[in-house]
Amino acid sequence: MPVLVMKFGGTSVATLDRIKRAAKRVGVEVAKGYDVIVIVSAMSGKTNELVGWVNETSPLFDAREYDAVVSSGENVTAGLMSLTLQEMDVPARSWQGWQVPLKTTSAHASARIEEIPTDNINAKFAEGMRVAVVAGFQGISPEGRITTLGRGGSDTTAVAFAAAFGAERCDIYTDVDGVYTTDPRISSKARKLDKIAFEEMLELASLGAKVLQTRSVELAMRYKVKLRVLSSFEEQSDEAGTLVCDEEEIMESNVVAGVAYSRDEAKMTLLSVADRPGIAAAIFGPLSEAGVNVDMIVQNISEEGRTDMTFSCPVDQVKRAEKAMEDAQTSGEINYQQLVADTDVAKVSVVGIGMRSHAGVAAKMFDALSSEGINIKVITTSEIKISVLIDRKYMELAVQALHDAFELEKAA
Ligand code: ADP
Ligand code: ASP
Ligand code: MG
């Protein structure tokens, strides 16, 4: 029988009633003749609560134990979803990551999926089970410990299962009815897209649009998974939601496809670092070993052999970054005067494959921000995106100003 993957995010399984509603949707697909793999997230707010407990217990936590704790939310919803389906007389069974077993690397808290054996679940389908409910976000390392795939990781679990089982489609059910030109919670003018190119979705996701985890888009692109984002609260139809697809399948598109933001960024500046060959490696090596995800980097002009080095990272990694730099200073690997952390910044980005062939996007972006009196602290660009770091208090304003400037409320 053809296989369908249906993923339900936190808000879609937030209460027993919502789990029932989701289960009914699954029932509809089963009735159509699909064998369904359901991937569930934890109930909304649960993972945040678990992460909070870990941080409170141990600020520079052992990531193996972090994973042991934060993976547990999905275990609950997987069992409940399976029970709900059984109550509806749909033959269902739940699986935790290790039972599949969904094999990952041992990079705890941000593990990558290495392999999903299908025999275990397929054997059950062959026996008449119609729905496999799998706990999203979690797997097992080569050492036999529980791992998690990074925040939002259930999306990646879903796409990886769709690829492994050759599913006809991977439907991501969430609390918005598709992918928008920007977060509809920030701009009332945001417009739902019927289709978005993989590459654009990949950039939007990696720049903060949390509707899909970046890695899930990467996997869908690589394994040609038909990926759709739709609402678990609205009526279902074959046309519903947004299809993430190849660029060639989209007839018309705007130069800028969307605006993304990432609220919780920090700007770190190492003042007066001794400038010498290898200094960047001496700074960013220890940061990477400490698990700091450095994003933007700017090195200033050097004067009398000393320079300032600025980088950005998620605000919750500032403590790790400070410790890594202090340790590198103590061991003599680097020599700097001071490390200044600006923890009140946000990143705003515009993304569009049309930027490859259109000039003037950067100028228009900077103009729109300056018209609102927003100062730009750091800029980075790539072929299809431009990102700026600004004061966090202007983030919403910047997103709206850019959405207006590029007229994203209008379809191409
Ligand atoms: P889930 O719990 O279902 O995984 P998430 O909260 O992870 O849901 O992702 C959905 C949220 O992503 C939406 O509620 C919305 O606020 C946010 N979002 C950010 N950017 C976009 C965008 N461009 N289009 C749609 N939603 C977006
Ligand atoms: N529950 C996890 C999180 O909140 C994974 C997910 O929902 O995708 O990050
Ligand atoms: Mg999510």
Side-chain angles (χ1 to χ4, degrees):
M1 270 188 258
V3 172
L4 200 64
V5 171
M6 301 171 78
K7 179 254 173 180
F8 293 93
T11 39
S12 311
V13 293
T15 62
L16 297 185
D17 269 349
R18 290 195 183 166
I19 292 179
K20 249 187 225 161
R21 193 197 309 223
K24 278 193 193 137
R25 281 186 187 262
V26 175
V28 171
E29 302 296 349
V30 169
K32 284 186 202 163
Y34 287 106
D35 277 344
V36 180
I37 299 175
V38 172
I39 310 293
V40 286
S41 289
M43 290 178 172
S44 68
K46 193 67 206 172
T47 311
N48 284 347
E49 181 182 47
L50 297 169
V51 170
W53 289 346
V54 170
N55 279 318
E56 210 179 312
T57 310
S58 170
L60 293 175
F61 51 76
D62 175 337
R64 283 164 292 210
E65 302 308 342
Y66 167 96
D67 279 349
V69 177
V70 306
S71 61
S72 64
E74 273 72 9
N75 297 344
V76 175
T77 44
L80 289 173
M81 175 63 84
S82 179
L83 286 172
T84 309
L85 287 159
Q86 289 176 3
E87 286 293 321
M88 291 163 47
D89 292 327
V90 178
R93 182 62 63 209
S94 72
W95 269 268
Q96 296 183 4
W98 65 272
Q99 292 173 301
V100 174
L102 187 148
K103 297 180 188 167
T104 73
T105 61
S106 27
H108 284 275
S110 58
R112 283 176 162 246
I113 298 174
E114 302 231 284
E115 196 196 339
I116 302 182
T118 53
D119 33 331
N120 201 339
I121 288 177
N122 273 337
K124 286 285 175 195
F125 277 139
E127 285 171 22
M129 177 196 69
R130 300 301 307 281
V131 183
V133 184
V134 179
F137 180 52
Q138 50 171 266
I140 183 166
S141 72
E143 295 76 30
R145 299 218 61 95
I146 307 294
T147 53
T148 63
L149 310 176
R151 296 306 305 270
S154 297
D155 298 329
T156 302
T157 309
V159 174
F161 267 86
F165 284 80
E168 202 171 290
R169 214 172 54 235
C170 179
D171 284 342
I172 306 285
Y173 286 90
T174 183
D175 55 0
V176 285
D177 60 351
V179 178
Y180 280 70
T181 47
T182 193
D183 188 345
R185 292 181 207 289
I186 297 258
S187 170
S188 55
K189 292 188 194 160
R191 178 172 51 87
K192 187 182 82 91
L193 300 162
D194 293 333
K195 290 180 177 178
I196 185 162
F198 280 122
E199 282 185 66
E200 288 173 332
M201 191 63 240
L202 196 59
E203 286 286 359
L204 286 173
S206 74
L207 295 167
K210 66 173 183 161
V211 60
L212 285 174
Q213 199 197 32
T214 311
R215 187 87 185 111
S216 73
V217 187
E218 246 167 51
L219 285 182
M221 193 160 140
R222 167 140 30 111
Y223 294 102
K224 303 205 178 307
V225 171
K226 198 165 170 198
L227 180 62
R228 189 162 70 137
V229 177
L230 69 173
S231 164
S232 65
F233 299 95
E234 281 168 31
E235 275 320 300
Q236 218 170 3
S237 80
D238 286 346
E239 267 29 319
T242 301
L243 192 68
V244 189
C245 60
D246 282 326
E247 199 178 323
E248 292 74 33
E249 289 178 49
I250 303 175
M251 303 296 277
E252 297 283 343
S253 60
N254 287 322
V255 175
V256 168
V259 182
Y261 64 86
S262 167
R263 187 187 303 271
D264 299 314
E265 299 286 318
K267 173 174 164 260
M268 312 284 286
T269 305
L270 282 162
L271 292 175
S272 189
V273 192
D275 194 8
R276 55 169 174 79
I279 187 63
I283 293 170
F284 296 108
L287 285 171
S288 138
E289 274 158 38
V292 178
N293 299 311
V294 171
D295 178 22
M296 303 163 132
I297 299 175
V298 182
Q299 180 175 355
N300 286 358
I301 292 168
S302 173
E303 265 178 58
E304 290 167 15
R306 301 194 83 86
T307 184
D308 295 343
M309 187 78 88
T310 297
F311 61 90
S312 70
C313 68
V315 79
D316 61 3
Q317 293 178 357
V318 164
K319 279 204 189 82
R320 277 178 197 272
E322 284 171 344
K323 169 124 193 351
M325 292 297 87
E326 279 157 25
D327 290 350
Q329 174 98 306
T330 312
S331 70
E333 282 168 84
I334 55 175
N335 174 289
Y336 61 91
Q337 204 182 57
Q338 204 189 338
L339 175 57
V340 184
D342 178 353
T343 52
D344 292 317
V345 295
K347 182 171 64 174
V348 176
S349 314
V350 298
V351 171
I353 40 189
M355 284 164 65
R356 283 190 202 128
S357 50
H358 279 78
V361 175
K364 195 169 188 173
M365 177 177 190
F366 303 153
D367 199 44
L369 295 173
S370 94
S371 301
E372 298 292 343
I374 301 169
N375 188 33
I376 300 171
K377 300 187 162 203
V378 181
I379 303 170
T380 54
T381 65
S382 79
E383 205 186 13
I384 65 163
K385 67 116 198 223
I386 305 168
S387 300
V388 295
L389 216 55
I390 58 172
D391 278 331
R392 188 173 303 134
K393 62 182 175 200
Y394 296 128
M395 192 194 79
E396 273 92 352
L397 178 63
V399 170
Q400 286 155 4
L402 294 172
H403 200 274
D404 284 346
F406 291 100
E407 300 184 69
L408 300 189
E409 71 283 2
K410 294 189 205 146

